[in-house]
Amino acid sequence: MKTIVRLLFLIVVFSGCKPERFYTGDPNPVISKVTLNQTSFKQFTDTVVIAFDYADGDGDLGFDNADSLSLEIKDVRFAKADLYHVRPLSPAGTQVNIHGTIKVTLKNVFLLGAGSSETTKFQIRIKDRMQHWSNTLETKTISCLLYTSDA
């Protein structure tokens, strides 16, 4: 009888425990929770770091070939996005559920106009080896400020 009670207790306790993931079972990549290292940047000086979470049901994110560009980050002030290489995020030849965080360091932002500041956002999406694009995320608005030398 004690064994049955212990077993029922363990079933009740562990049935409420679920790992924290946003995996949907979909082989298409999914991205979420985009963050920035800061929201105000001096042009040509401060570095922009964007981080976001990813999940992929079949684990085919990233490419061996460095010329394969699968991460798209678009400054909304421009018509075209910048593309980046992502290394394979799971072992070759496997089909596994993967999830994690990707951090990308961008080249310095700069002002387009003649003013002392501008605002912009970045749009992000990622493509897997089967050419499936993820959803698109947008960062919070950032400020790009005119660089002034103290010299």
Side-chain angles (χ1 to χ4, degrees):
M1 183 68 172
K2 288 182 182 181
T3 305
I4 293 173
V5 172
R6 286 182 192 157
L7 181 60
L8 287 174
F9 175 76
L10 290 174
I11 290 171
V12 170
V13 168
F14 288 111
S15 66
C17 298
K18 294 182 182 175
E20 201 169 325
R21 297 183 201 168
F22 64 97
Y23 171 63
T24 62
D26 191 343
N28 296 331
V30 177
I31 58 175
S32 68
K33 293 197 294 187
V34 64
T35 59
L36 292 160
N37 61 323
Q38 57 194 57
T39 57
S40 184
F41 300 88
K42 290 182 200 162
Q43 76 167 343
F44 304 122
T45 305
D46 294 335
T47 301
V48 178
V49 179
I50 299 174
F52 61 92
D53 290 347
Y54 68 87
D56 189 45
D58 57 4
D60 65 341
L61 282 177
F63 292 82
D64 286 322
N65 182 350
D67 291 332
S68 296
L69 306 175
S70 59
L71 175 61
E72 182 180 271
I73 300 180
K74 181 181 181 219
D75 182 327
V76 298
R77 299 176 295 172
F78 300 108
K80 293 188 177 183
D82 292 319
L83 296 168
Y84 299 86
H85 174 257
V86 176
R87 64 174 177 73
L89 299 175
S90 65
T94 62
Q95 276 196 312
V96 295
N97 171 30
I98 60 172
H99 57 91
T101 301
I102 294 176
K103 287 185 181 181
V104 183
T105 302
L106 305 180
K107 293 181 180 176
N108 302 327
V109 293
F110 56 90
L111 297 172
L112 294 178
S116 61
S117 70
E118 290 177 359
T119 60
T120 191
K121 296 178 183 182
F122 296 100
Q123 295 174 337
I124 301 135
R125 66 184 187 153
I126 193 167
K127 178 174 61 173
D128 67 17
R129 290 188 291 275
M130 294 300 294
Q131 307 304 308
H132 300 129
W133 282 101
S134 72
N135 55 308
T136 300
L137 291 181
E138 190 170 87
T139 66
K140 293 180 180 180
T141 301
I142 66 162
S143 297
C144 180
L145 308 172
L146 180 66
Y147 173 77
T148 54
S149 173
D150 293 338

